[in-house]
Amino acid sequence: AYIGYTRRNCIIKEVKMNFTAIDFETANEKRNSPCSLGITVVEKGQIILEKYWLIRPKEMRFSPMNIWIHGIREGDVMH
């Protein structure tokens, strides 16, 4: 939940949001090289569901830049 503050540090409002966040990571620069998918569902400001999957891309080529961003390597998706 977000709490806003005035300059005098007084709480002015608490906002409880509903949303779903999706995180899609790729092995390299190509959009058709998925290596992970994460989903988080938030209702009234509380996380109610988190799911995460590793995906083996068709082209098993992981670029160093993408590995630096998400930390997923070829060995992580082999099983």
Side-chain angles (χ1 to χ4, degrees), residues 1 7 13 17-18 24 27 34-36 41-43 45-46 71 74:
R7 290 183 186 195
K13 187 175 182 182
M17 297 174 39
N18 298 327
F24 182 79
C35 64
S36 76
V41 179
V42 176
E43 288 184 3
Q46 299 293 314
E74 185 175 324

Side-chain angles (χ1 to χ4, degrees), residues 54-72:
L54 289 172
I55 303 166
R56 184 173 21 192
K58 285 185 179 183
E59 181 185 3
M60 287 293 283
R61 181 177 62 83
F62 283 73
S63 74
M65 176 61 103
N66 291 53
I67 293 170
W68 179 79
I69 291 168
H70 53 57
I72 301 168

Side-chain angles (χ1 to χ4, degrees), residues 11-26:
I11 297 174
I12 53 176
K13 187 175 182 182
E14 182 175 347
V15 179
K16 297 196 177 196
M17 297 174 39
N18 298 327
F19 62 92
T20 299
I22 300 170
D23 180 41
F24 182 79
E25 299 293 346
T26 57

